[in-house]
Amino acid sequence: MVIHPSFFFTIAFTFIHSVAGMAQVTPLPATKHKTIVIAHRGDHTKAPENTLAAYQNTIEDGADFVEIDLRTTKDSQLVIMHNATIDHMTTRQGEIKSFPLDSLRKIKIREPLHPEWGMHTIPTFKEVLQLCKGKINIYLDFKEASVAQAYQEIIDAGMENHVVVYINEPHQFEEWGTIAPNMPLMISLPKAVKTTAEMNEVLHTFDIDILDGDYTEYNAETVAAATQKHIPIWADVQSREEGPDQWNAALKLGLAGLQSDHPKELIQFLIKKGIR
């Protein structure tokens, strides 16, 4: 086939993952539901995103996974923030990695459009693991952190069987494969993949456990190919337009999981359809 430029990233992953020698079947965290619901940055419909309050909302919603974003402070502490800077979530400016933890903890997260939600502390990874243990699985968007340190904190919390890791950079694949070979790993679908043959090449190339990516990037052919290989697709449906039309379209494709900005409403929608 003609190799699309987007496959260059695939090639980098191929080399790294084959060197790691990780070909194996990795069990995914146990869930109660056939259609997986992932709360994008927690349920932030009534609390600021990526806060303990948003994660508690997610637990109360009954979601299967909460998606969190991992970063590192100046003094090598693991905290949760989507962006590399604190600009969009606080009244201060600067990169997470430029602040020691003690200083960050004094800077409060707020939602300008909803002051009634109050002020919140930037959570540490340890706090999130403690909150989620025994209540919900974690979808770890591995932004910028030490794999060894993150995995040790997961082990210390007794959460090693309740986490999946989304890979952002090729070197992360190698590091997770070496340090935690039993950790389920996920990547986004290369945008060039539109046919069964292209999907099969990706699945043959990667030793992956889950596929991510926007639901609009998939079609019946590629979903069927992944399903045949027993690779679940947990696709993104979050957007400004997210609602029943998008959920129905994603479900029609046969996707195994949906990542949502409205997990509570999505769960209610699935219950009404009799599929949760």
Side-chain angles (χ1 to χ4, degrees):
M1 74 179 66
V2 176
I3 300 299
H4 189 278
S6 67
F7 272 91
F8 289 137
F9 193 55
T10 300
I11 292 168
F13 269 124
T14 303
F15 174 74
I16 289 171
H17 213 183
S18 63
V19 168
M22 292 168 34
Q24 59 183 332
V25 176
T26 305
L28 301 184
T31 56
K32 298 178 181 178
H33 307 105
K34 182 178 179 181
T35 301
I36 303 300
V37 173
I38 304 126
H40 181 233
R41 308 181 198 173
D43 182 345
H44 50 279
T45 60
K46 54 183 178 180
E49 67 179 43
N50 274 326
T51 59
L52 293 179
Y55 302 153
Q56 181 60 43
N57 292 342
T58 304
I59 293 168
E60 294 172 4
D61 292 343
D64 302 285
F65 283 81
V66 59
E67 187 259 359
I68 69 175
D69 301 280
L70 194 65
R71 294 192 179 276
T72 307
T73 66
K74 184 177 182 179
D75 52 346
S76 301
Q77 301 301 304
L78 301 182
V79 296
I80 313 301
M81 182 70 68
H82 179 266
N83 288 10
T85 72
I86 62 172
D87 303 19
H88 73 303
M89 293 300 297
T90 76
T91 57
R92 297 280 300 277
Q93 295 182 331
E95 293 188 317
I96 289 285
K97 63 184 180 182
S98 69
F99 292 93
L101 180 61
D102 286 349
S103 296
L104 271 182
R105 299 284 275 181
K106 296 174 183 177
I107 301 170
K108 300 302 180 181
I109 294 175
R110 84 286 184 264
E111 173 51 64
L113 297 179
H114 294 280
E116 70 275 13
W117 291 353
M119 307 294 281
H120 299 259
T121 302
I122 296 172
T124 65
F125 189 35
K126 291 178 181 178
E127 288 176 330
V128 178
L129 288 163
Q130 181 178 15
L131 175 67
C132 294
K133 185 176 182 179
K135 301 171 185 175
I136 194 170
N137 296 314
I138 291 177
Y139 175 128
L140 183 61
D141 192 337
F142 200 74
K143 288 291 198 298
E144 188 175 14
S146 159
V147 172
Q149 182 181 358
Y151 187 53
Q152 188 61 55
E153 292 192 10
I154 291 169
I155 291 174
D156 290 345
M159 285 286 283
E160 59 267 30
N161 296 320
H162 301 281
V163 177
V164 301
V165 177
Y166 178 82
I167 299 295
N168 284 284
E169 300 288 344
H171 69 86
Q172 296 173 356
F173 225 148
E174 180 182 19
E175 292 166 10
W176 277 104
T178 301
I179 294 169
N182 293 321
M183 180 63 66
L185 302 181
M186 177 191 319
I187 63 168
S188 287
L189 182 73
K191 296 185 186 302
V193 176
K194 302 296 180 185
T195 68
T196 297
E198 290 167 346
M199 176 61 88
N200 285 338
E201 180 171 331
V202 169
L203 299 181
H204 177 73
T205 297
F206 294 136
D207 175 23
I208 59 168
D209 306 294
I210 312 164
L211 277 170
D212 181 53
D214 193 275
Y215 79 99
T216 60
E217 296 170 0
Y218 289 91
N219 58 47
E221 190 174 343
T222 55
V223 172
T227 301
Q228 187 176 22
K229 300 292 186 182
H230 306 290
I231 302 297
I233 299 169
W234 296 357
D236 302 338
V237 292
Q238 66 268 20
S239 70
R240 292 182 179 180
E241 297 77 28
E242 183 188 345
D245 288 345
Q246 289 71 34
W247 299 335
N248 274 321
L251 291 171
K252 187 177 180 180
L253 286 170
L255 302 176
L258 304 177
Q259 184 173 185
S260 171
D261 277 334
H262 299 277
K264 185 176 182 178
E265 290 80 3
L266 174 56
I267 289 169
Q268 293 172 343
F269 174 82
L270 295 173
I271 291 173
K272 287 181 180 180
K273 289 182 75 71
I275 54 177
R276 188 178 178 85

